[in-house]
Amino acid sequence: SRPSSTTMYAAKKASTKKSSAKKSSKKAAASEEEEVVNFKKAAFVSALAEKTGMTKADSDIALAAVLNVIATEVSAGKRIALPGFGTFKLNYRAARKGRNPKTGEEIDIKASYSPSFSASKTFKEMANPDR
């Protein structure tokens, strides 16, 4: 149910890329599955404006405000739960040893925080209608 132009673009892009035999077999297996189509910000803002009845400019401002609040609050260590959608939170990643893939030299990776999102049960069910 995807637009044919997107499928043709994806197939053309896949055929023009040069890669090893191992990578191309993975690519072939992935292309047999459903191809992912990007939903750009402009299209998202248009859809938001259509659903809410707001102008595109107001929808863009509202989207920016929502994303800013989520980023600011999660960065501050707060957990944001949106029932029916999911939860945004901050995960701690402990310090660990790693290797430089080029030289094989062991390196220290500092502890850090990483934002994460967990989809709600409702959202997961929408994404998997056949189950």
Side-chain angles (χ1 to χ4, degrees):
S1 66
R2 301 271 189 231
S4 61
S5 62
T6 306
T7 308
M8 287 181 6
Y9 172 76
K12 182 179 174 184
K13 187 175 178 183
S15 66
T16 58
K17 269 192 170 179
K18 292 181 181 178
S19 60
S20 68
K22 192 175 190 180
K23 283 185 181 178
S24 63
S25 66
K26 285 183 183 178
K27 187 81 169 176
S31 66
E32 289 174 9
E33 295 176 18
E34 193 170 322
E35 202 58 47
V36 175
V37 178
N38 289 330
F39 192 56
K40 303 233 162 94
K41 183 183 175 190
F44 187 85
V45 168
S46 294
L48 188 62
E50 196 174 303
K51 291 257 186 197
T52 62
M54 298 185 337
T55 65
K56 286 184 183 180
D58 288 344
S59 296
D60 192 25
I61 292 168
L63 175 62
V66 168
L67 295 177
N68 184 289
V69 168
I70 290 171
T72 303
E73 298 302 320
V74 170
S75 296
K78 293 182 183 172
R79 203 178 161 110
I80 299 179
L82 302 172
F85 186 71
T87 303
F88 295 91
K89 63 182 181 177
L90 202 59
N91 285 339
Y92 176 74
R93 298 186 65 185
R96 61 199 185 281
K97 298 280 186 190
R99 290 211 177 267
N100 179 336
K102 191 172 184 180
T103 64
E105 175 190 357
E106 191 172 88
I107 57 173
D108 291 324
I109 301 172
K110 295 179 183 177
S112 63
Y113 289 93
S114 178
S116 71
F117 173 76
S118 298
S120 71
K121 182 179 177 187
T122 308
F123 192 179
K124 288 177 186 175
E125 288 170 354
M126 285 176 65
N128 296 293
D130 300 338
R131 290 188 181 184

